[in-house]
Every structure is written in C-alpha cells, then in structure tokens.
Amino acid sequence: MSGTAAALDRTVARVLRWGIGASIALLAIGVALMVVEGVDPLGPPPPAFDPADIVPGILALDPLPFLWLGLIIAIATPSLRVLASLVGFTRTGQRRMVLVSLGILVVIALSVALSSGAA
Amino acid sequence: MTVDLVLVAGGAAAGAFGSLLGLGGGVLIVPLLTLGFGLPLREAVGVSLVSVIVTSSAAAGVYLERHVANLRLGMTLELFTAAGALVGGLVAFALPERLLAGLFAALLAYTALTMARRGIARGPRPAEASGPAGASGTPPTPATATDAAGETPGAAAEPAPPAGPADVVAGDATRRGWLTGSNPTSSVPFVASLAGPGYAIGRFPLGVVGSVFAGVVSALLGVGGGIIKVPLMNLAMGVPLRVATATSNLMIGITASASAIVYFLRGGIDPYVAGPTAVGVFLGALAGSRAAPRIDVRILRLLFVVVLAYTAVQMALKALG
C-alpha cells in the first residue's frame, strides 16, 4: 500500500470515528434527558423535525434536539467520509475515483431531493 | 425500568448477540421492535438502519486504520449499493407491510439456515465474530479488529479467486473501455487498479449487479446487507474473506445512509425509539466484540438458530395476517 493510500485510509477512519463518536455522545445525552423527563418512546410521536428548534431546544435541555442532531450526524457521517475521500482522490489526481466519489454523492443528493417534502 | 431503558437494554442485547455471532444489528433489531415493542415494520426498519450505520461506521474506522478494508473497491461497489438502497427506500413506502414482513421472514429463515450450516461445517472453535453475516456492522475494539474482520489468522477458509489475476484483467481489458483499461487517461485498467495486495478483482459486472441487489435488500429490510456483500466479494470476486468483511462494513454505512435519508425525510424514523436503540446496539456490539475471544459461541449459535427460526415463523404469521 502506497503512503498516500495509507494516509487517505487514516483520514477517512478519523472522519468515521469523530462522526460516530459525536453522534453517539449526542444520542446518549438525549436518552439521559428522556429518562430524566420520563419520556415514553412508545407514546405519541414527536413533532416533525424542524431545524429552527435545534438551538433553542438544546439550550432548554430538551431531549428531542439532541436526538435529532445525533441521528442527522450518524446518517451524514458516511457521506462526510465520501467527501473526505473525494478531496484525497482529487489531491492525488485519481480521476476515476474522483468520478466514483462524485457519483456516490449524486446518489445521496438524489435521496434527499426525492424524499424532501414527502413526509 | 422505563421503556427507554428497556429499549437501550434490548438494543444492547441485539448488539452483543450480533457481535458474538457475526450478525449485524438489523436482522435482530427489526424483529425486536416489531414483535417485542409492537412498532410498525417500516418504522422498525428506519430505526434499524440508523443502528446499522453507527455500528458499521465504527467498525469501518478501525478496519481502515489497520488497512484491512479496501477503500477503492468499497467505494466503487457502494456507488451501486447506494443506488439500490435509494430505489429500495422509495419502494419500501409503496409496499404493503405484510409483504415486507414476508420478505423479512424469508431473510430470517435464510440467516438461520446459514448459521446452522456454518455450525455443522465447522468443528469446535472458540468465539467467532466473523463470517459472511459478520459484515453487517460489529464495531471491533482496536484489540479485536483483525479477528472480527472474519478470519482467525492462518485459517484455511479462503477460497481461491475464480480466475487468475492476469486472466481477469487481461481478458476484460480487451473487451471493455473505461471500466477496464482503454481509457486514454490511464494505462492501468480500472478494475485492476481496485486490487489489493495479493489478490485481483474478478467478475466485476457480477459484483455490480449483486451490489445493487444488496442495496435494495438493505433498504427494504433495514439490514446491512453484509450477508450478500461478503459472499459476493469473497466467492464471486476473489477478495480474501477478511478484506471482504472489512470492506463490506465500509460499504454498509453509505448503503444504509442512502435509504435512511429517505426514511428520515419521510418521517419514518422516530427519534425517541431510534436514540435509545442505537446507543444500546453500539454499546452492546462493543461489549460483544471485547468478550468474543473469551466465549465459546457454539451453543449460543445453536440457541440462536432456534430463536431465528421461531422469529421467522412469527414474522411469517404477521405476513399472513
């Protein structure tokens, strides 16, 4: 394995570790707050996700924004990993892998575009 | 104990068992949430996908750091698993729950059969956190990552590649353009450039088709799809089992992510259920991978085959209404 490939592996691994670490930390805080507030997970469904509620909710120590944020980071982490790979492949001039990375990001963008507003 | 803590405990049990038996979380979490907590199947699938992302990404990080996973091969194939997962995620909202339950029952039966055959085929052996199904997202600890990748060092379970490296590359390169070598921008055929130390990539088109299928299954049923991807890479494409398992873990993240986005944006993921479950599965899988070297899983596996078979019957009954 070449030095650049090994370096890219390490960079991508770091992105995954930090992303999942942050996600689990936020989810754990959310769960702890759920326990404190006595939230029943099988009770009525929570209000739909609204980005505007995140910061005020976190400041109010409401469990829901912590959980939303943790879930979003978890779902976004693999895409961030692809983004990190894209940068690495671009720097090392691996054009075909750049195209592959872009293709994956296009599929992810399509997931967002085709699902937005469908709730 | 409150329901949220019961969910954490249930997730932890699923994560630990999955880790010990080489299964991903999805195949255990979905029945747990539907049959145990009465959640609609589609909602359970959304929650399961998040748990699968968390555990597989954590594992993939360790595998990459140890240079076991093949990043270039994984990314190339995940382009197709992600496309399949996008289609599967969209289709899942159009399919009746009973049909999904029927498909899940079939998956459980297949998994039970695979585990039973592995149990029969192998002699007594200490704990394993490996095998095809083990690709579904068990976070290995730094100390156990290599074993968790699917092989005990020196085990002679690796099948030979379906064709010699030179045959594969040279044969394909004369027939296909961009994919395998007539691209004027590079003298190295693309598929050949995906190879790793000591192995070449064979039957790439089959890998593409199988990857799309794995993506659809993952999105429909909330599983990582390692049970398809690992045999595909190992048996069909000639990738060593350890590398295939690690690379599958890497691919699972983006596969599950493509469909989890669909579930999330369509209101199919309840954070009050997903949060405790994901935390539980992560902690359970971590504990399981640490305990794996000290536990004899033969009896556990047999017990689990029975549990999976029973769950398959319950799911089938749910499908039949």
Side-chain angles (χ1 to χ4, degrees):
Chain A
M1 173 175 275
S2 70
T4 48
L8 182 57
D9 276 6
R10 278 194 297 273
T11 303
V12 172
R14 217 171 293 137
V15 170
L16 289 171
R17 281 195 162 182
W18 279 101
I20 295 306
S23 166
I24 286 293
L26 286 163
L27 290 174
I29 293 170
V31 172
L33 291 171
M34 277 175 72
V35 174
V36 171
E37 291 194 5
V39 175
D40 178 7
L42 304 180
F49 172 69
D50 183 354
D53 293 341
I54 294 287
V55 175
I58 284 178
L59 293 175
L61 291 181
D62 176 8
L64 199 53
F66 285 98
L67 295 171
W68 282 130
L69 213 51
L71 292 175
I72 289 169
I73 291 174
I75 294 171
T77 294
S79 300
L80 292 175
R81 182 261 290 173
V82 175
L83 210 56
S85 305
L86 174 64
V87 172
F89 291 135
T90 305
R91 278 185 181 163
T92 51
Q94 300 183 56
R95 275 182 282 178
R96 288 179 292 200
M97 287 311 297
V98 168
L99 287 176
V100 167
S101 308
L102 285 173
I104 296 168
L105 293 175
V106 166
V107 173
I108 296 298
L110 273 175
S111 292
V112 175
L114 294 175
S115 311
S116 294
Chain B
M1 191 186 277
T2 54
V3 180
D4 33 25
L5 291 179
V6 174
L7 272 174
V8 173
F17 273 103
S19 171
L20 286 170
L21 295 167
L23 288 168
V27 79
L28 307 168
I29 295 163
V30 174
L32 174 79
L33 295 178
T34 50
L35 302 175
F37 290 90
L39 251 67
L41 185 66
R42 208 169 282 118
E43 198 174 302
V45 167
V47 171
S48 173
L49 285 170
V50 173
S51 302
V52 164
I53 292 171
V54 167
T55 51
S56 68
S57 296
V62 177
Y63 290 136
L64 276 172
E65 218 150 60
R66 296 178 167 226
H67 310 299
V68 183
N70 183 331
L71 180 66
R72 294 162 60 85
L73 174 65
M75 288 191 66
T76 304
L77 291 180
E78 77 189 4
L79 175 59
F80 302 99
T81 57
L86 170 58
V87 173
L90 294 172
V91 168
F93 281 83
L95 291 179
E97 287 235 351
R98 284 171 61 181
L99 177 59
L100 290 176
L103 290 173
F104 205 94
L107 176 77
L108 286 169
Y110 173 71
T111 308
L113 195 66
T114 307
M115 287 185 71
R117 285 173 60 188
R118 278 168 57 199
I120 293 165
R122 287 180 185 174
R125 183 178 157 183
E128 78 184 67
S130 65
S136 304
T138 299
T141 60
T144 61
T146 306
D147 287 343
E151 280 287 272
T152 39
E158 245 161 56
D167 302 337
V168 174
V169 173
D172 282 358
T174 57
R175 290 191 296 273
R176 299 182 181 87
W178 181 84
L179 203 59
T180 49
S182 58
N183 179 358
T185 62
S186 170
S187 59
V188 181
F190 182 61
V191 174
S193 74
L194 302 176
Y199 64 92
I201 306 299
R203 297 180 188 161
F204 185 74
L206 181 62
V208 167
V209 174
S211 295
V212 173
F213 177 66
V216 173
V217 171
S218 169
L220 285 179
L221 304 180
V223 297
I227 203 159
I228 298 167
K229 283 179 252 186
V230 174
L232 180 74
M233 280 189 273
N234 180 227
L235 300 174
M237 302 177 73
V239 177
L241 186 58
R242 271 184 63 204
V243 180
T245 309
T247 305
S248 169
N249 258 298
L250 182 75
M251 293 163 63
I252 284 168
I254 207 78
T255 311
S257 178
S259 47
I261 288 170
V262 178
Y263 282 83
F264 182 86
L265 291 175
R266 294 190 169 205
I269 298 177
D270 184 338
Y272 287 142
V273 179
T277 308
V279 170
V281 170
F282 180 80
L283 295 177
L286 206 62
S289 65
R290 283 180 190 275
R294 295 188 294 275
I295 295 176
D296 186 335
V297 294
R298 282 171 302 162
I299 295 170
L300 200 61
R301 187 199 291 125
L302 284 176
L303 178 70
F304 215 70
V305 168
V306 176
V307 172
L308 281 176
Y310 172 79
T311 313
V313 171
Q314 292 301 311
M315 274 289 183
L317 290 174
K318 195 177 170 72
L320 294 171

